[in-house]
Amino acid sequence: MSATGIGAPVRRKEDFRFITGQGQYTDDVTRPGETRAVFVRSPHAHAKIKSIDVGAAKKMPGVIDVLTGAQLATDKIGNLICGWMIHSKDGSPMKMSAHPALAATKVNCVGDAVAVVIAETIAQGKDAAEKVKVDYEVLTAVVDPAKAQAKGAPQIHPDIPNNTIYQWHLGEKKDVDAAFAAAKHVTKLDIVNNRLVPNAMEPRAALADYDAGTDNLTLWNTSQNPHVARLVISAFIGMAPEHKLRVIAPDVGGGFGSKIFIYPEEVVCLWASRRVKRPVKWTSDRSEAFLTDAHGRDHVTHAEMALDANGKILALRARTIANLGAYMSTFSSSVPTYLYATLLSGQYNIPSIYCEVDAVYTNTAPVDAYRGAGRPEATFVVERLVEVAARQMGIDPADLRRRNFITAFPHQTPVIMAYDGGDYNASLKKAMEMADVKGFAKRKREAARNGKLRGMGYSTYIEACGIAPSQAVGSLGAGVGLWESAEVRVNPTGSVEVLTGSHAHGQGHETTFAQLVSERLGIPFENVSIVHGDTDKVQFGMGTYGSRSGAVGMSAIVKALDKIEIKAKKVAAFMLEAAEGDIEFKDGKFTVAGTDKSAAFGDVALNAYIAHKFTGAELEPGLKETSFYDPTNFTFPAGCHICELDVDIETGKVDIVNWTAVDDFGTIINPMIVEGQVHGGIAQGVGQALMEGAYYDAAGQLVTGSMMDYTMPRAHDLPSFHVGLTETKSPSNPLGMKGCGEAGAIASPAAVINAITDAIGTENIAMPATASAVWTALQKLQAPKAA
Amino acid sequence: MAAVSMTVNGKAVTGDVEPRTLLVQFLRENLRLTGTHVGCDTSQCGACIVHIDGIAAKACTTLALQCEGAKITTIEGLAEPGGKLHPMQEAFREHHGLQCGYCTPGMIMSALDIVRRNGNNLDEHTIRDQLDGNICRCTGYHNIVKAIEAGAKAMAK
Ligand code: FES
Ligand code: FES
């Protein structure tokens, strides 16, 4: 392994600009003549718009224009869409409501935008926004997904009865029911997977610039997938033809899924820029972010597991109501279906599984993918059921897991996925050693002497990453293919630019992708630049989510590098006056086999452009290759997380004292970056388990609408983590990579809740298990005694 | 509008601002020093932390006019003019204390204040405890804590 090649903990190229304050995030970009957009938002969760009066606002100082939904409709700006078709059990297509970027006749959640002020400054825009008079007829709201389908519940969209988007299912109900009827033991759980607000630290922003001279529109925005944004804004919303719209996602300050989606604000900025013929910028306040960023999770589930007398799992069934909020966000429909139920087999050999999912509208912010997207929900169901079943049956939880692990691959689960490889015993064993499970009983006794209840919880998770191949996701309803593209440009001096359709917003692609190229071409790491996030530079790409940049994005680069090598060998053959078949390439050098005749990579690059030596017409000058790569399967990262914690008997406060994570991500390009991804994922999962929860009151007001009410983990809420790896290569891509971005968030909530329930001796506790929730649970158990 | 003058990263600057202008707006919009970020509107996240007369403060919760005559240091003012990084900046890079980089300027400015208050030998507990005013959504803090510990030590050299 070289110091900068695959497997080396190379320090990141991108860091210099960030640690010196020279990052370029969307709000840092300015255009001459830039104006600011301020949105007028509904204070009501559900109301008819009787009238909007913008007269007074238009007269305010600095105001250029005030635009409403009626004008948007007149200009024929199309609705936002959800791009993944789900069919109900009865075969009917999902029911997608209209979603205009500015509501014209009715608002369906607090924060729904009804008008936009375009002003010289933000302050002037805000002053004017207060003068926009909207007359609302307030309607009863429904916010609880479990009540959305009830008789008499207010109907949110006129053409969608019972607020029901789809009633979907997966698996064979008959087989499952038969297995349950014959089971020795059945474990049942009611689970609420709490609603979360992603809260990337950089708020969303959009800067639109219309060039009247060329009729071109440029959009800078906080996007994880600028090409998809361009496609949707062009083809579905009809803003501009695709070739007249450029989307640039510069430095992006975290995404976690929330910046995948196409949002009303960027659409409005583009439209407004063309109307006012000046650049229009909008930057979200954090308060706006809480109201308008797509939220995550929000499932209500009843789940059951059937086991035989030996603790062998026979079947699993789950019924879930998924809250998708007031409108269907870009990929919302896929999250509680194909990203959820398909993972209900966990790491276990479960002969039959059946899952029913009803997706419903409520008067809340849209819900879509958030780190893990469906897979944390599935893992939570499976890992809670396994843990509770083990305790009920008096079997050690690790042992019950072992008895059911899948050990032969490929393994076809009853819920679509074909696991291609893994070693679940290895990660469990290593995690148990690292966590010193043997010494736990002693530590528990010691903790008890200090008034603490100590608990330990496992989560042996699996996820499906890459979110590809295209043919598979297409058959499941995806409106797009989920391949990735790469273009490798070798310059005449031998330096290299790689244009990738992946997008980094914290993942460090400028470093890891350069490590790959440097190793493969044998050129210095410094001589490689990664270009991403600009539709004028990169032709097309699917962006970054679902832990796909390594497995899919880097594989595309490998394919393009293969082509570069083939072409470069032809060039070298001319230079070295040898047969092409005799040229070998190793460590940045082209050699004629069996001789000492060689040419360095840089010389070959130069000759490819000079082309003086090419005789005959068959070899084109230049050295640039493109690849579109579609994998053969999803990848299946898996591992074991073990959480050890103390519960304070007096206060209910939970203190995580040790966290062990052992993950199998396949090939690792940069272990430093991978560990960082694991840390961050665990933090978000612990946040979900212990403190985060978005709550709406009955009227649909978000009561956790700021960082003062919505608690996110701070440094003192978390321990340092012990992170280890096992490695089985993914057979589904050339590098053997599986993906590491979401594992922490997927694995950790179940580990925490398993540990808390172990500590206090309850079967179940709802997330977030705040001190007050744990304390209340403790009071319900009679006179808790430290063990 | 009101006139305001202060020293920012060693340079005298003046501006004509609305009285309600926040220091962070003045830095970002008037001076185009966009390294100082805005992550919230309730003074919770610390993305906006700068030093005012050597002490860390949230620039989102400070009016520009309050800083009349003050000496402000922002993330852009930490490295030496020749480009040599401050040891704390170096430590964040060395220990992978950042991912998306958005919280980073505030984290580094906050870290320097932790060193000012507690000296160069910091333990994990102190760092975690005193980082209370900064939120990072990416790193889980693990590597930020390591970076601050190492950066503090390096500053003593
Ligand atoms: S922006 Fe100042 S604390 Fe969040
Ligand atoms: S590095 Fe992204 S918020 Fe801290």
Side-chain angles (χ1 to χ4, degrees):
Chain A
M1 178 175 81
S2 78
T4 56
I6 292 176
V10 182
R11 301 306 185 255
R12 299 199 321 169
K13 280 183 185 235
E14 37 280 89
D15 285 358
F16 182 80
R17 67 177 185 273
F18 294 136
I19 56 182
T20 54
Q22 298 176 91
Q24 277 285 299
Y25 301 89
T26 298
D27 188 59
D28 301 339
V29 179
T30 51
R31 301 295 292 163
E34 176 177 297
T35 66
R36 307 298 296 236
V38 174
F39 285 87
V40 179
R41 299 188 181 278
S42 170
H44 306 293
H46 198 195
K48 281 196 183 127
I49 301 172
K50 288 163 68 182
S51 65
I52 303 180
D53 178 359
V54 300
K58 275 192 167 174
K59 292 199 195 88
M60 291 290 286
V63 171
I64 297 150
D65 207 348
V66 182
L67 302 169
T68 64
Q71 287 158 297
L72 189 84
T74 308
D75 286 359
K76 301 208 166 30
I77 302 300
N79 284 321
L80 293 138
I81 54 137
C82 174
W84 195 306
M85 173 52 73
I86 298 292
H87 286 91
S88 285
K89 312 175 219 206
D90 65 6
S92 61
M94 67 185 190
K95 298 191 173 62
M96 176 164 60
S97 76
H99 185 191
L102 291 174
T105 55
K106 188 164 173 280
V107 291
N108 295 309
C109 61
V110 170
D112 229 354
V114 297
V116 63
V117 177
I118 311 297
E120 298 291 346
T121 70
I122 290 191
Q124 288 170 330
K126 285 188 175 174
D127 289 345
E130 287 183 11
K131 302 286 183 201
V132 174
K133 283 199 198 69
V134 188
D135 191 9
Y136 293 102
E137 178 190 329
V138 177
L139 306 169
T140 311
V142 58
V143 300
D144 181 349
K147 294 183 185 149
Q149 294 168 298
K151 256 211 185 76
Q155 184 167 324
I156 298 171
H157 299 288
D159 46 343
I160 300 171
N162 305 317
N163 299 315
T164 302
I165 299 167
Y166 52 72
Q167 295 187 296
W168 175 89
H169 69 162
L170 183 65
E172 291 301 327
K173 184 169 188 311
K174 250 188 2 271
D175 299 355
V176 170
D177 289 346
F180 269 86
K184 183 82 188 153
H185 181 88
V186 173
T187 291
K188 303 180 180 185
L189 276 179
D190 285 301
I191 290 169
V192 173
N193 206 289
N194 43 328
R195 184 181 181 111
L196 304 174
V197 185
N199 270 314
M201 287 315 297
E202 179 206 20
R204 286 191 296 118
L207 167 60
D209 191 358
Y210 176 65
D211 181 338
T214 59
D215 197 32
N216 285 340
L217 273 164
T218 304
L219 173 71
W220 286 261
N221 77 335
T222 47
S223 175
Q224 298 177 218
N225 44 347
H227 292 86
V228 177
R230 181 173 74 151
L231 176 64
V232 171
I233 293 170
S234 171
F236 294 92
I237 296 170
M239 183 66 62
E242 208 174 356
H243 64 292
K244 304 299 274 179
L245 174 62
R246 175 183 184 186
V247 178
I248 303 169
D251 287 330
V252 173
F256 316 115
S258 69
K259 292 172 181 168
I260 298 172
F261 322 122
I262 320 306
Y263 285 95
E265 292 84 1
E266 55 228 40
V267 172
V268 169
C269 285
L270 284 164
W271 170 62
S273 177
R274 193 157 53 198
R275 283 190 67 116
V276 304
K277 300 209 165 35
R278 284 175 63 181
V280 175
K281 184 194 275 181
W282 169 76
T283 302
S284 177
D285 288 342
R286 183 59 59 185
S287 305
E288 279 183 294
F290 272 98
L291 293 176
T292 65
D293 288 1
H295 292 182
R297 319 280 192 256
D298 209 349
H299 284 194
V300 180
T301 297
H302 177 76
E304 301 184 354
M305 183 174 267
L307 301 98
D308 72 11
N310 298 319
K312 191 87 195 55
I313 304 169
L314 303 172
L316 184 154
R317 62 187 171 204
R319 182 172 153 64
T320 294
I321 301 172
N323 186 357
L324 297 192
Y327 304 100
M328 292 185 76
S329 173
T330 317
F331 288 111
S332 57
S333 55
S334 64
V335 177
T337 49
Y338 291 111
L339 298 180
Y340 165 65
T342 54
L343 272 303
L344 285 174
S345 197
Q347 298 186 349
Y348 312 109
N349 197 339
I350 306 181
S352 27
I353 297 174
Y354 181 69
C355 181
E356 289 177 286
V357 180
D358 283 12
V360 298
Y361 287 112
T362 60
N363 294 112
T364 64
V367 178
D368 205 325
Y370 167 58
R371 202 171 195 167
R375 290 152 290 166
E377 295 91 319
T379 298
F380 196 77
V381 167
V382 176
E383 288 305 295
R384 288 291 296 130
L385 281 171
V386 167
E387 189 83 16
V388 173
R391 291 178 198 165
Q392 287 172 342
M393 298 181 77
I395 302 173
D396 175 75
D399 194 34
L400 187 121
R401 286 177 166 85
R402 260 186 238 111
R403 289 182 202 181
N404 289 285
F405 277 159
I406 295 160
T407 51
F409 297 92
H411 174 86
Q412 178 63 54
T413 72
V415 278
I416 298 178
M417 293 298 175
Y419 300 170
D420 52 14
D423 186 345
Y424 310 140
N425 276 303
S427 45
L428 176 65
K429 181 164 180 279
K430 184 163 175 182
M432 289 177 75
E433 284 163 12
M434 280 172 61
D436 185 22
V437 170
K438 283 206 183 93
F440 175 71
K442 181 158 171 270
R443 296 194 296 278
K444 189 171 171 73
R445 285 194 299 275
E446 278 162 14
R449 282 196 284 277
N450 298 319
K452 311 276 189 197
L453 296 170
R454 181 157 293 206
M456 182 178 268
Y458 296 86
S459 177
T460 49
Y461 74 95
I462 189 162
E463 53 167 328
C465 287
I467 319 288
S470 302
Q471 186 265 333
V473 295
S475 71
L476 304 179
V480 288
L482 286 169
W483 44 265
E484 195 47 87
S485 77
E487 180 179 323
V488 175
R489 295 180 182 169
V490 180
N491 298 317
T493 57
S495 64
V496 171
E497 282 118 34
V498 176
L499 286 71
T500 168
S502 299
H503 183 275
H505 27 280
Q507 295 87 342
H509 296 170
E510 290 165 46
T511 304
T512 49
F513 289 14
Q515 285 180 253
L516 166 65
V517 176
S518 152
E519 168 140 340
R520 175 64 190 273
L521 297 181
I523 60 173
F525 174 71
E526 298 71 34
N527 291 5
V528 185
S529 285
I530 307 300
V531 178
H532 69 99
D534 184 342
T535 61
D536 260 13
K537 294 181 181 163
V538 180
Q539 187 228 333
F540 204 90
M542 297 311 300
T544 290
Y545 39 82
S547 308
R548 66 194 306 278
S549 299
V552 192
M554 290 182 87
S555 297
I557 298 174
V558 169
K559 294 288 172 189
L561 289 169
D562 289 346
K563 295 184 190 173
I564 289 283
E565 184 177 323
I566 292 170
K567 172 85 185 274
K569 278 183 174 164
K570 290 189 206 290
V571 177
F574 275 107
M575 287 170 66
L576 300 170
E577 292 166 343
E580 189 191 323
D582 290 340
I583 305 290
E584 289 170 349
F585 180 58
K586 201 168 168 271
D587 300 329
K589 227 161 75 181
F590 295 87
T591 313
V592 182
T595 73
D596 57 0
K597 282 210 295 187
S598 70
F601 182 79
D603 291 335
V604 172
L606 187 63
N607 272 277
Y609 287 91
I610 294 174
H612 290 172
K613 296 226 167 103
F614 298 0
T615 49
E618 72 272 24
L619 191 60
E620 290 178 17
L623 195 50
K624 180 184 95 162
E625 297 289 350
T626 299
S627 163
F628 285 73
Y629 171 74
D630 209 346
T632 54
N633 193 356
F634 294 83
T635 63
F636 297 96
C640 174
H641 286 219
I642 300 178
C643 170
E644 185 168 335
L645 50 73
D646 279 340
V647 173
D648 187 302
I649 297 173
E650 300 293 324
T651 65
K653 186 173 180 309
V654 170
D655 196 10
I656 296 173
V657 293
N658 194 9
W659 194 284
T660 307
V662 175
D663 300 288
D664 177 0
F665 297 137
T667 303
I668 303 285
I669 305 293
N670 184 325
M672 175 190 83
I673 287 176
V674 167
E675 284 178 19
Q677 289 290 314
V678 174
H679 299 156
I682 296 169
Q684 286 179 349
V686 170
Q688 165 163 33
L690 292 182
M691 54 194 84
E692 296 184 39
Y695 296 98
Y696 287 87
D697 71 10
Q701 295 295 333
L702 181 63
V703 293
T704 49
S706 82
M707 286 180 177
M708 297 173 78
D709 319 289
Y710 183 93
T711 319
M712 293 196 293
R714 291 178 193 258
H716 55 73
D717 295 314
L718 296 168
S720 286
F721 309 109
H722 299 103
V723 177
L725 294 165
T726 55
E727 186 180 304
T728 61
K729 304 246 188 242
S730 166
S732 305
N733 60 69
L735 289 165
M737 297 179 74
K738 296 187 178 181
C740 66
E742 297 160 294
I746 290 168
S748 51
V752 175
I753 298 302
N754 285 341
I756 295 176
T757 50
D758 177 51
I760 67 177
T762 56
E763 193 161 273
N764 207 352
I765 188 161
M767 296 192 289
T770 59
S772 112
V774 175
W775 185 84
T776 307
L778 278 169
Q779 302 317 300
K780 282 196 193 135
L781 306 163
Q782 300 126 5
K785 287 252 158 35
Chain B
M1 297 295 243
V4 65
S5 56
M6 60 186 90
T7 306
V8 178
N9 300 331
K11 277 195 210 110
V13 299
T14 57
D16 210 16
V17 298
E18 273 196 87
R20 60 179 162 176
T21 304
L22 300 167
L23 176 60
V24 71
Q25 293 172 320
F26 182 67
L27 294 170
R28 288 182 55 81
E29 285 162 32
N30 294 51
L31 305 181
R32 300 296 311 149
L33 292 171
T34 54
T36 304
H37 295 153
V38 179
C40 73
D41 44 16
T42 51
S43 202
Q44 290 290 307
C45 76
C48 61
I49 290 179
V50 298
H51 294 173
I52 304 178
D53 293 326
I55 293 173
K58 289 183 167 170
C60 72
T61 322
T62 309
L63 294 168
L65 289 182
Q66 285 175 282
C67 301
E68 176 64 36
K71 285 197 173 59
I72 313 287
T73 307
T74 71
I75 188 73
E76 290 93 342
L78 281 192
E80 286 174 19
K84 189 173 176 312
L85 293 176
H86 186 285
M88 192 60 82
Q89 289 173 310
E90 197 60 80
F92 268 70
R93 174 160 72 179
E94 179 58 28
H95 294 274
H96 190 33
L98 61 149
Q99 290 180 22
C100 79
Y102 199 78
C103 72
T104 311
M107 285 286 175
I108 291 175
M109 299 313 281
S110 199
L112 294 178
D113 211 51
I114 295 175
V115 176
R116 180 185 65 78
R117 296 194 301 269
N118 301 278
N120 296 83
N121 275 318
L122 298 170
D123 59 31
E124 179 176 345
H125 179 80
T126 306
I127 297 169
R128 287 186 181 274
D129 190 57
Q130 305 226 348
L131 218 47
D132 188 47
N134 292 71
I135 298 178
C136 174
R137 195 58 157 164
C138 295
T139 63
Y141 305 99
H142 181 108
N143 286 337
I144 291 179
V145 172
K146 282 206 299 197
I148 295 176
E149 192 178 336
K153 283 213 173 72
M155 283 166 68
K157 285 182 196 146

